Amino acid sequence: MSAPLSSQLAAALPKNHRFTIHHLSTPPTPCPAIYSAPPGHKPEKTYCESHFLSVSIAHNSHQIQIFALETLIYTTSHLTTIFVAKADSTGYLHLLNLPNNTPSPLKTISSIFLSHLVTTRQRKDRQLVLSLFARAQDQYLFPGSVENPRKHVLDDRGLVKWWCRVLDPILQAGATWISPKNNKNKKNTSTPQAYLRVPGCDIHETRSFFPPHIRLSPSLSSQWHPSADPLRDLSGGFPTYPERCLIPRFPDDPKSRFVDELDEELTEPPPQPTSQKQESPSKGKRPGKWRSVGSLGEFWELMAFRQECSSGRLVGFLWGVFTPSTLQDTQSSHIESPASPSTRPKTKSALQTDLADSHHSNQNHKQQHSNPTPSSVSTHSPTQTPQLPTKTKYFYHPPSSRGTVILPQKHYDRALKLLLHLDYANLDIAIESSERWIGDVAMCAGRKDDGWGVEVVGEKEVKEMDNGVVDGGAGVNVLGVRRKRDRDGERNEDGERGGGVQLLSAGLVRKKAKVK
């Protein structure tokens, strides 16, 4: 069993600095499938749960939020998908007065929280993929925070590099985990792989976004794949799936919007008399396939010309895939002798182990499937917890990965809607907004008296080495190369002064003496 999230954060955050963690989540809820079903088949049964992590600090006996991250976990009978929906900061981290060159606590928190979800949700006989879309924007979750002059907004290239550095320790932590059915000394292993696509960039340009130590290490660089994606590999081993069935649809995702537009090319065959139904109505056509895009490579080439990917800013699509070693051999034999395509849950039938649930768990699962918004969580009882099975055929939901507060989806949506209507433009307003949001969720969960935040006190010693590199940071902290500035402090993107041509003053030009 993995360590609690609070313990993992305490071990990695700066020593003696206090943070308050508010982890809000929803129960697994039936939702529309994120993958389109192959022609003639039903969409696979899919469950979704939302997780929201808010981090705040104390300032003059008041709480103020400094960072938040939202993830969506989609689960089916053969795949777990963790999608990073949004992440944002308020710019008030400077109130902690951290020492210079301290590794970014926001990157540390992001890596640990996502790694915690990966390790606790990894099923020993199922693949897990961590997916995110990196797009630079002034603010995502905290309205008005862009007006805070202390907020550091990364540019497009900096943001893609930042998320690659966040993913790096997650891949390392995801290489081993303890299975619930094994004893405490026996660990399962996986082969984590990272994939990055930046539309408009070739392989060499995309590789430049990887952390420097990844590019310099042959063993580590083999796990990072530039200008590549795992979409075909996640299809269950059937290359006959149309491209539209390989691309997941996530909220506020540009590739999902592109898929929706391409789906308009699909036309249903006209109805025919019963006597003619023996003949294929799509003879000579490609059922379920787009007319203008015939492969995933063409899809990504056209994505580079989409407005969201070609408006002068780069965007990045990043995946981390975790495949248990117990699944790899079975997958290989499954791919070597493919059968006719079927629905996704059936393609993995050879891989499914006996996940027999108790009669009580089956009854709960049936009730959840019939009710899209579970109401098993009382919004007035602070002690009542959702009666959910830990494991079913379609999801794995251990208590260690659940939020401190679990709300039904409609109350969760209400909490996020409130956050998006608050204001974080200056310190006083941000404190008022932070305490209002925290208090509103506590009241909704019936925990107004005892609160729902978990205080974390950092334990990590941060020592500055002689070469200027900080020791004790999460993962690898690479400091930028310092370049000399000119007299007025200006430099171009490459760190050089002025334009490409530099003129010498007349006094520095040495004339050749004339020979009489």
Side-chain angles (χ1 to χ4, degrees), residues 430-445:
I431 290 176
E432 181 181 351
S433 298
S434 299
E435 294 186 337
R436 179 184 174 184
W437 185 82
I438 295 172
D440 186 86
V441 175
M443 182 178 297
C444 184

Side-chain angles (χ1 to χ4, degrees), residues 40-346:
H41 298 281
K42 296 180 180 180
E44 58 185 336
K45 187 180 296 184
T46 306
Y47 284 80
C48 175
E49 58 183 288
S50 304
H51 287 255
F52 189 86
L53 183 75
S54 172
V55 183
S56 58
I57 59 176
H59 180 70
N60 295 334
S61 302
H62 294 281
Q63 288 289 317
I64 181 171
Q65 292 170 292
I66 61 170
F67 181 71
L69 188 150
E70 183 187 20
T71 62
L72 304 175
I73 302 180
Y74 298 93
T75 54
T76 65
S77 62
H78 81 281
L79 180 65
T80 300
T81 303
I82 301 177
F83 175 65
V84 181
K86 295 178 181 178
D88 196 8
S89 63
T90 60
Y92 298 104
L93 179 64
H94 69 277
L95 298 175
L96 281 180
N97 295 320
L98 296 174
N100 293 333
N101 298 328
T102 300
S104 170
L106 306 186
K107 183 179 75 67
T108 301
I109 293 171
S110 300
S111 294
I112 292 179
F113 178 61
L114 295 176
S115 177
H116 175 73
L117 293 180
V118 168
T119 54
T120 55
R121 292 307 176 92
Q122 177 75 73
R123 294 178 281 183
K124 69 182 184 66
D125 51 0
R126 302 291 187 273
Q127 278 186 310
L128 183 146
V129 57
L130 175 64
S131 176
L132 64 91
F133 167 59
R135 175 179 56 193
Q137 194 164 307
D138 294 336
Q139 56 191 26
Y140 272 106
L141 293 169
F142 299 108
S145 59
V146 67
E147 299 179 21
N148 177 13
R150 300 300 296 267
K151 180 174 181 176
H152 177 54
V153 180
L154 293 175
D155 60 9
D156 51 355
R157 291 181 175 272
L159 184 64
V160 176
K161 292 180 179 180
W162 189 85
W163 277 114
C164 287
R165 293 197 299 270
V166 169
L167 180 62
D168 178 36
I170 301 175
L171 294 180
Q172 300 176 21
T176 60
W177 76 94
I178 300 177
S179 175
K181 289 187 176 181
N182 295 337
N183 57 51
K184 62 181 180 180
N185 296 322
K186 186 177 180 180
K187 293 185 177 181
N188 286 322
T189 60
S190 70
T191 305
Q193 302 289 326
Y195 302 82
L196 175 64
R197 277 197 179 274
V198 182
C201 293
D202 59 22
I203 293 180
H204 300 287
E205 292 173 323
T206 305
R207 188 177 286 112
S208 66
F209 294 100
F210 295 165
H213 71 282
I214 297 294
R215 302 195 300 267
L216 298 176
S217 173
S219 60
L220 294 178
S221 61
S222 63
Q223 297 179 337
W224 288 71
H225 307 278
S227 297
D229 61 76
L231 301 181
R232 180 68 67 177
D233 298 334
L234 298 174
S235 66
F238 289 105
T240 55
Y241 277 156
E243 285 70 22
R244 63 183 299 270
C245 303
L246 307 176
I247 303 172
R249 302 168 189 250
F250 297 124
D252 193 24
D253 187 16
K255 67 178 185 294
S256 301
R257 286 186 281 272
F258 190 25
V259 169
D260 292 338
E261 293 184 13
L262 291 174
D263 280 351
E264 297 179 0
E265 301 176 1
L266 302 176
T267 57
E268 294 292 336
Q272 297 182 4
T274 307
S275 59
Q276 300 180 6
K277 286 188 177 180
Q278 298 297 331
E279 299 179 1
S280 175
S282 58
K283 187 176 181 180
K285 298 182 180 180
R286 301 186 304 168
K289 290 181 175 290
W290 300 313
R291 292 194 301 268
S292 59
V293 176
S295 66
L296 288 176
E298 293 181 10
F299 175 84
W300 289 111
E301 288 179 5
L302 293 177
M303 276 293 298
F305 297 97
R306 300 280 294 176
Q307 180 179 0
E308 295 168 292
C309 302
S310 61
S311 58
R313 290 187 176 183
L314 296 176
V315 298
F317 298 89
L318 185 63
W319 298 268
V321 179
F322 304 84
T323 304
S325 57
T326 55
L327 182 60
Q328 291 174 3
D329 296 336
T330 314
Q331 270 188 324
S332 300
S333 60
H334 180 66
I335 297 174
E336 290 173 1
S337 57
S340 60
S342 60
T343 56
R344 287 181 184 269
K346 293 181 180 179

Side-chain angles (χ1 to χ4, degrees), residues 338-355:
S340 60
S342 60
T343 56
R344 287 181 184 269
K346 293 181 180 179
T347 61
K348 288 294 182 179
S349 59
L351 309 179
Q352 293 174 358
T353 56
D354 183 15
L355 301 179

Side-chain angles (χ1 to χ4, degrees), residues 360-377:
H360 176 68
S361 299
N362 286 331
Q363 292 296 327
N364 284 332
H365 174 67
K366 292 179 181 179
Q367 293 175 3
Q368 287 178 350
H369 185 61
S370 60
N371 184 8
T373 306
S375 56
S376 55
V377 183

